[in-house]
Amino acid sequence: MIEGLSHLTFIVRDLDKMETVLTTVLDAQKIYDSGAETFSLSQERFFKVGGLWVAVMQGAPLQEKTYNHVAFKMGPDEYDDRLARIKSLGLQIKEGRPRVDGEGHSIYFYDHDNHLFELHSGTLEQRLHRYSSR
């Protein structure tokens, strides 16, 4: 039986840059750094983000940007603060899709390696309720 999500892994060119993104934008806590040792495929660091294990490994970045993304939940009152953090790092912000009232707010941004992240303030239940009332 699947119990839930174990972890997310991102392959990045520069571990320090990704650490800055994770700690600044997502309030990540670094819990492990392999340093020069490689127990896996390459040097890696582990973080906790909202209780989720996020791994970053050094390697070749994604060649292109896509809409494939991971979305992290933020509080409805955090939008302006999170947006300011993203802008302070000079990260590319992607315009979000049109929204209907009641499905929450989102901020989409790319890291230095073409990974797309979303910060979203809504829930699945809110979205389904809003879509069913159309």
PDB file of all heavy atoms in Angstrom, residues 21 25 35 37 47 60 64 66 71 78 91 96 100 108:
ATOM      1  N   VAL A  21      17.750  28.984  -2.911  1.00  0.00           N
ATOM      2  CA  VAL A  21      16.348  29.015  -3.325  1.00  0.00           C
ATOM      3  C   VAL A  21      15.479  28.317  -2.289  1.00  0.00           C
ATOM      4  O   VAL A  21      14.461  28.863  -1.841  1.00  0.00           O
ATOM      5  CB  VAL A  21      16.163  28.366  -4.719  1.00  0.00           C
ATOM      6  CG1 VAL A  21      14.682  28.184  -5.047  1.00  0.00           C
ATOM      7  CG2 VAL A  21      16.850  29.189  -5.800  1.00  0.00           C
ATOM      8  N   VAL A  25      13.109  30.868  -0.213  1.00  0.00           N
ATOM      9  CA  VAL A  25      11.719  30.907  -0.683  1.00  0.00           C
ATOM     10  C   VAL A  25      10.831  29.940   0.092  1.00  0.00           C
ATOM     11  O   VAL A  25       9.694  30.268   0.435  1.00  0.00           O
ATOM     12  CB  VAL A  25      11.647  30.607  -2.198  1.00  0.00           C
ATOM     13  CG1 VAL A  25      10.204  30.605  -2.676  1.00  0.00           C
ATOM     14  CG2 VAL A  25      12.466  31.625  -2.991  1.00  0.00           C
ATOM     15  N   GLY A  35      28.965  16.564   1.177  1.00  0.00           N
ATOM     16  CA  GLY A  35      30.298  17.101   0.943  1.00  0.00           C
ATOM     17  C   GLY A  35      30.893  16.439  -0.289  1.00  0.00           C
ATOM     18  O   GLY A  35      30.208  16.227  -1.282  1.00  0.00           O
ATOM     19  N   GLU A  37      31.849  13.388  -0.495  1.00  0.00           N
ATOM     20  CA  GLU A  37      31.485  11.969  -0.571  1.00  0.00           C
ATOM     21  C   GLU A  37      30.267  11.783  -1.464  1.00  0.00           C
ATOM     22  O   GLU A  37      29.421  12.656  -1.565  1.00  0.00           O
ATOM     23  CB  GLU A  37      31.182  11.423   0.818  1.00  0.00           C
ATOM     24  CG  GLU A  37      32.389  11.413   1.732  1.00  0.00           C
ATOM     25  CD  GLU A  37      32.106  10.643   2.992  1.00  0.00           C
ATOM     26  OE1 GLU A  37      31.900   9.419   2.890  1.00  0.00           O
ATOM     27  OE2 GLU A  37      32.084  11.276   4.043  1.00  0.00           O
ATOM     28  N   PHE A  47      17.000  18.282   2.467  1.00  0.00           N
ATOM     29  CA  PHE A  47      16.303  19.360   3.155  1.00  0.00           C
ATOM     30  C   PHE A  47      14.943  18.876   3.614  1.00  0.00           C
ATOM     31  O   PHE A  47      14.399  17.919   3.069  1.00  0.00           O
ATOM     32  CB  PHE A  47      16.097  20.549   2.200  1.00  0.00           C
ATOM     33  CG  PHE A  47      17.371  21.135   1.687  1.00  0.00           C
ATOM     34  CD1 PHE A  47      17.987  20.603   0.554  1.00  0.00           C
ATOM     35  CD2 PHE A  47      17.972  22.205   2.320  1.00  0.00           C
ATOM     36  CE1 PHE A  47      19.173  21.128   0.071  1.00  0.00           C
ATOM     37  CE2 PHE A  47      19.160  22.737   1.849  1.00  0.00           C
ATOM     38  CZ  PHE A  47      19.763  22.195   0.728  1.00  0.00           C
ATOM     39  N   ALA A  60      23.706  17.538 -14.470  1.00  0.00           N
ATOM     40  CA  ALA A  60      23.323  18.377 -15.609  1.00  0.00           C
ATOM     41  C   ALA A  60      21.894  18.882 -15.423  1.00  0.00           C
ATOM     42  O   ALA A  60      20.997  18.112 -15.091  1.00  0.00           O
ATOM     43  CB  ALA A  60      23.429  17.579 -16.906  1.00  0.00           C
ATOM     44  N   GLU A  64      15.347  22.345 -20.972  1.00  0.00           N
ATOM     45  CA  GLU A  64      14.314  23.324 -21.317  1.00  0.00           C
ATOM     46  C   GLU A  64      13.300  23.447 -20.197  1.00  0.00           C
ATOM     47  O   GLU A  64      13.174  22.565 -19.351  1.00  0.00           O
ATOM     48  CB  GLU A  64      13.615  22.951 -22.620  1.00  0.00           C
ATOM     49  CG  GLU A  64      12.938  21.597 -22.590  1.00  0.00           C
ATOM     50  CD  GLU A  64      12.376  21.199 -23.940  1.00  0.00           C
ATOM     51  OE1 GLU A  64      13.079  21.337 -24.944  1.00  0.00           O
ATOM     52  OE2 GLU A  64      11.213  20.760 -23.962  1.00  0.00           O
ATOM     53  N   THR A  66       9.501  23.528 -18.834  1.00  0.00           N
ATOM     54  CA  THR A  66       8.202  22.945 -19.159  1.00  0.00           C
ATOM     55  C   THR A  66       7.210  23.362 -18.075  1.00  0.00           C
ATOM     56  O   THR A  66       7.573  24.054 -17.120  1.00  0.00           O
ATOM     57  CB  THR A  66       8.252  21.405 -19.207  1.00  0.00           C
ATOM     58  OG1 THR A  66       8.385  20.896 -17.872  1.00  0.00           O
ATOM     59  CG2 THR A  66       9.382  20.900 -20.093  1.00  0.00           C
ATOM     60  N   ALA A  71       4.186  21.750  -6.585  1.00  0.00           N
ATOM     61  CA  ALA A  71       3.503  22.851  -5.918  1.00  0.00           C
ATOM     62  C   ALA A  71       3.588  22.666  -4.407  1.00  0.00           C
ATOM     63  O   ALA A  71       3.282  21.592  -3.893  1.00  0.00           O
ATOM     64  CB  ALA A  71       2.042  22.918  -6.359  1.00  0.00           C
ATOM     65  N   GLU A  78       0.390  34.822   2.676  1.00  0.00           N
ATOM     66  CA  GLU A  78       1.830  34.805   2.421  1.00  0.00           C
ATOM     67  C   GLU A  78       2.220  35.253   1.013  1.00  0.00           C
ATOM     68  O   GLU A  78       3.407  35.344   0.711  1.00  0.00           O
ATOM     69  CB  GLU A  78       2.376  33.391   2.638  1.00  0.00           C
ATOM     70  CG  GLU A  78       2.305  32.904   4.065  1.00  0.00           C
ATOM     71  CD  GLU A  78       2.897  31.516   4.192  1.00  0.00           C
ATOM     72  OE1 GLU A  78       4.091  31.348   3.868  1.00  0.00           O
ATOM     73  OE2 GLU A  78       2.163  30.601   4.597  1.00  0.00           O
ATOM     74  N   LEU A  91      14.880  35.250  -9.625  1.00  0.00           N
ATOM     75  CA  LEU A  91      14.362  34.068 -10.312  1.00  0.00           C
ATOM     76  C   LEU A  91      13.282  34.470 -11.306  1.00  0.00           C
ATOM     77  O   LEU A  91      12.569  35.455 -11.105  1.00  0.00           O
ATOM     78  CB  LEU A  91      13.801  33.073  -9.296  1.00  0.00           C
ATOM     79  CG  LEU A  91      14.823  32.536  -8.292  1.00  0.00           C
ATOM     80  CD1 LEU A  91      14.121  31.729  -7.209  1.00  0.00           C
ATOM     81  CD2 LEU A  91      15.880  31.700  -8.985  1.00  0.00           C
ATOM     82  N   GLY A  96       0.969  32.980 -14.143  1.00  0.00           N
ATOM     83  CA  GLY A  96       0.060  31.889 -13.834  1.00  0.00           C
ATOM     84  C   GLY A  96      -1.099  31.825 -14.804  1.00  0.00           C
ATOM     85  O   GLY A  96      -1.364  32.776 -15.550  1.00  0.00           O
ATOM     86  N   VAL A 100     -10.281  31.294 -11.302  1.00  0.00           N
ATOM     87  CA  VAL A 100     -11.614  31.713 -10.913  1.00  0.00           C
ATOM     88  C   VAL A 100     -11.587  31.976  -9.414  1.00  0.00           C
ATOM     89  O   VAL A 100     -10.786  31.372  -8.683  1.00  0.00           O
ATOM     90  CB  VAL A 100     -12.690  30.657 -11.275  1.00  0.00           C
ATOM     91  CG1 VAL A 100     -12.820  30.519 -12.776  1.00  0.00           C
ATOM     92  CG2 VAL A 100     -12.384  29.313 -10.646  1.00  0.00           C
ATOM     93  N   TYR A 108       4.194  31.023  -9.729  1.00  0.00           N
ATOM     94  CA  TYR A 108       5.025  30.055 -10.440  1.00  0.00           C
ATOM     95  C   TYR A 108       6.386  30.693 -10.679  1.00  0.00           C
ATOM     96  O   TYR A 108       6.468  31.846 -11.096  1.00  0.00           O
ATOM     97  CB  TYR A 108       4.422  29.709 -11.809  1.00  0.00           C
ATOM     98  CG  TYR A 108       3.101  28.983 -11.749  1.00  0.00           C
ATOM     99  CD1 TYR A 108       1.905  29.687 -11.705  1.00  0.00           C
ATOM    100  CD2 TYR A 108       3.060  27.598 -11.780  1.00  0.00           C
ATOM    101  CE1 TYR A 108       0.695  29.024 -11.675  1.00  0.00           C
ATOM    102  CE2 TYR A 108       1.852  26.922 -11.755  1.00  0.00           C
ATOM    103  CZ  TYR A 108       0.675  27.636 -11.703  1.00  0.00           C
ATOM    104  OH  TYR A 108      -0.519  26.978 -11.679  1.00  0.00           O
TER     105      TYR A 108
END
